Amino acid sequence: MTPPSRAELVAHLVRTGIAGHVDTPRQNNLRHYRRLCHKDPYYQFGLTFEHEWQFDEVLALMSKRCGVVADEAHQWGIDTIDPDRTVDALDDVADRLAQAAARRERVMFATGHPKNLADTYRTWKAALEARGCEVVTAAAGYSYEVATEHPPNRRVLVWKDGVGFVMDGGSARHSHHPFGMRAALQALADEGREWPQLVIADHGFAGAAGEAGVPTIGFADCNDPALFLAEYEGKLLTTVPLDDGYVPPEYRPLAGYVLERAGLA
């Protein structure tokens, strides 16, 4: 695939709904913002915040960083992600990947959206490996129980082609939890291995890495404010706003754009 230009990528994001008018409903966004303000761990992604965030502040920041509608009176229906903000953040991702390649850094990839984003992460992983970067994995087989999702409730951390995610025994599972990343970092410390110099992740995998002080790039939908707040407070390098629920082929132009800009295509 020929990598798209910026204009072509913006058009693709809007056409697919990865940005622009997105499928994530406005009412879902606002509900998640309120739950984060109420310190619901499921929406905090393993992060703590210095500021006591209030609902109006979260909405204002999400409008600025993600592009959701700023008007609090808009309570129902369609919400938006600004595609130019998405591409601006992808430019930052590309610049950081170029730096990682030049320095041959240790990198880690993990996702709470294994059916959607894992292929994109693997594309970047392969490019960095080809430039001499070490891809770090740890704590495979670590498991934990959850009570807030439909059964089976046992989650197991696995690594497939260098990308971490959790399974329920038979299926890859969507996950907000920080426990897998915490376990991986603890296992590295226990084994006397060095932590990654860069983490590329989403949901609780990104949140836990940023909370631990690891340089982290996060990807987040407009109903997941935690990583945007963490970026604002300096715990994440960059948070990329995008609808994170599409099939892998829809993200290939995005992945190719980043590699081209990074000089890794």
Side-chain angles (χ1 to χ4, degrees):
M1 176 185 295
T2 301
S5 67
R6 181 187 177 101
E8 290 168 338
L9 181 57
V10 166
H12 172 77
L13 296 174
V14 172
R15 179 183 61 80
T16 56
I18 293 173
H21 289 166
V22 294
D23 283 340
T24 310
R26 174 68 168 189
Q27 59 272 23
N28 183 271
N29 288 344
L30 300 183
R31 182 168 61 251
H32 285 204
Y33 301 171
R34 290 189 176 94
R35 288 177 176 174
L36 176 68
C37 292
H38 293 155
K39 296 183 171 58
D40 185 329
Y42 191 73
Y43 299 95
Q44 289 183 294
F45 293 175
L47 287 154
T48 60
F49 301 104
E50 294 180 6
H51 181 64
E52 288 290 328
W53 288 91
Q54 304 301 311
F55 172 79
D56 60 335
E57 296 174 314
V58 173
L59 178 58
L61 185 130
M62 290 299 291
S63 177
K64 180 179 180 180
R65 295 292 179 98
C66 184
V68 302
V69 176
D71 185 2
E72 191 171 336
H74 178 46
Q75 295 282 319
W76 196 270
I78 292 172
D79 215 335
T80 54
I81 293 175
D82 186 333
D84 283 304
R85 287 178 173 85
T86 303
V87 181
D88 287 345
L90 290 172
D91 288 346
D92 292 340
V93 173
D95 294 345
R96 188 61 184 83
L97 291 187
Q99 184 182 79
R103 296 175 176 176
R104 296 187 175 183
E105 290 182 338
R106 298 179 303 279
V107 294
M108 178 181 282
F109 295 84
T111 181
H113 269 286
K115 297 177 182 178
N116 311 100
L117 297 177
D119 283 1
T120 296
Y121 295 170
R122 290 189 185 104
T123 298
W124 296 336
K125 176 197 75 76
L128 291 176
E129 276 187 315
R131 270 72 177 180
C133 292
E134 176 189 356
V135 176
V136 180
T137 66
Y142 167 80
S143 67
Y144 59 93
E145 289 280 343
V146 298
T148 56
E149 298 175 359
H150 62 82
N153 297 112
R154 171 66 60 175
R155 301 287 184 269
V156 180
L157 176 63
V158 301
W159 299 87
K160 183 177 179 181
D161 299 328
V163 176
F165 56 93
V166 297
M167 297 187 68
D168 64 10
S171 301
R173 288 294 294 262
H174 168 274
S175 172
H176 280 202
H177 304 116
F179 310 126
M181 178 59 72
R182 288 176 181 168
L185 295 177
Q186 185 61 54
L188 290 171
D190 292 345
E191 296 165 11
R193 299 165 60 196
E194 293 184 289
W195 279 8
Q197 295 162 291
L198 177 65
V199 166
I200 298 175
D202 52 77
H203 283 188
F205 285 105
E211 182 72 15
V214 181
T216 301
I217 290 169
F219 290 75
D221 208 330
C222 54
N223 64 351
D224 292 331
L227 299 187
F228 294 98
L229 271 59
E231 179 192 1
Y232 179 84
E233 292 195 358
K235 289 188 174 182
L236 262 69
L237 300 174
T238 300
T239 298
V240 181
L242 82 177
D243 189 313
D244 53 18
Y246 282 86
V247 294
E250 300 288 15
Y251 297 104
R252 287 175 189 161
L254 178 158
Y257 174 88
V258 167
L259 290 181
E260 180 71 13
R261 179 180 170 91
L264 302 175

